[in-house]
Amino acid sequence: MDTLGGGLGNADLTKLSDRDKQELQQFVMNESQKARIQSSIHSLTDTCFRKCIPAGNVKNGKLDKYEEPCMRQCVDRFLDANMVVLKELERLR
Amino acid sequence: MDSLGGMGSFPSDPKTQIMRQVQQEAAMQNARMLVEKLNEHCFERCVPKPGTSLSKGEEGCVTSCMEKYMGAWNTVSKQYVARIQRESAQGGAVQNL
């Protein structure tokens, strides 16, 4: 299928009405916001997995009763720390 | 022109076509990232000393590790999205990292 991967090669943009263009712009903005959030989720999962799931062999596929809350707290504390950094930088400015 | 984003296999409407491509691209990127992270973490944990072949134990470890990582991803996703929503509800400007 030539729609995958490539750019927007076969879409005729000249056919778009102004309203379509506006709608598309909004759509792309929403999608990139979603993409940014997903990218943050990937990096948070990476960081917190290292902290919360002990190194070495993994025997059980389920998150256990320590790992699950650890992951949740890790997300919240990471964002708290992020806030502290931003506030401090703001203060120093 | 079959606009209105019908379920037709190939929309002739350029707008729908573009939207679909953008979504496909995003889903691909997301899947690619997940696979990369799964490989990275699970290989590191499950194959500390690569032998002449992947042992049954290593294989089982990789399977469990994948399940665990994806569970962790879902947990993070819920927690993070809930927090963003909470913070954007109270007071407008929120930075999303």
Side-chain angles (χ1 to χ4, degrees):
Chain A
M1 229 169 61
D2 59 347
T3 48
L4 275 177
L8 301 168
N10 45 15
D12 188 358
L13 294 172
T14 55
K15 272 194 240 157
L16 291 174
S17 67
D18 281 348
R19 205 166 143 250
D20 280 353
K21 280 182 192 157
Q22 219 176 359
E23 199 185 321
L24 267 179
Q25 201 168 23
Q26 190 57 48
F27 176 82
V28 169
M29 258 159 58
N30 289 344
E31 286 298 309
S32 38
Q33 166 85 339
K34 271 195 247 167
R36 267 202 305 281
I37 291 174
Q38 271 191 335
S39 158
S40 301
I41 295 171
H42 279 297
S43 102
L44 276 167
T45 307
D46 185 84
T47 306
C48 295
F49 196 82
R50 283 175 216 281
K51 282 196 194 287
C52 293
I53 286 85
N57 216 285
V58 184
K59 284 159 209 87
N60 190 339
K62 297 260 177 298
L63 288 174
D64 69 27
K65 63 174 171 107
Y66 304 105
E67 293 163 349
E68 155 98 32
C70 180
M71 288 300 292
R72 280 190 269 114
Q73 285 172 19
C74 175
V75 171
D76 277 327
R77 296 301 78 75
F78 184 95
L79 296 171
D80 290 346
N82 183 50
M83 278 301 233
V84 172
V85 169
L86 290 174
K87 280 214 184 95
E88 183 62 13
L89 285 173
E90 185 62 32
R91 200 183 63 81
L92 291 173
R93 205 151 69 103
Chain B
M1 274 220 289
D2 72 294
S3 53
L4 292 178
M7 276 305 169
S9 60
F10 203 84
S12 57
D13 169 28
K15 188 187 75 191
T16 314
Q17 215 175 310
I18 290 170
M19 284 178 169
R20 222 175 264 188
Q21 273 174 250
V22 168
Q23 272 171 336
Q24 268 175 359
E25 203 65 48
M28 261 310 226
Q29 174 60 26
N30 195 35
R32 221 179 284 131
M33 196 67 207
L34 184 63
V35 172
E36 190 186 310
K37 294 288 177 198
L38 285 170
N39 276 327
E40 191 184 312
H41 282 277
C42 298
F43 184 74
E44 172 101 19
R45 270 149 201 275
C46 296
V47 194
K49 290 193 170 63
T52 48
S53 68
L54 207 62
S55 73
K56 274 274 162 286
E58 288 167 342
E59 213 177 302
C61 176
V62 170
T63 312
S64 306
C65 173
M66 283 176 69
E67 192 186 340
K68 212 185 261 281
Y69 196 84
M70 291 190 277
W73 199 95
N74 286 329
T75 302
V76 167
S77 174
K78 269 186 228 139
Q79 193 74 6
Y80 182 54
V81 170
R83 172 128 173 187
I84 295 175
Q85 279 168 350
R86 213 181 322 127
E87 283 177 1
S88 61
Q90 43 160 281
V94 191
Q95 31 67 40
N96 289 323
L97 291 184

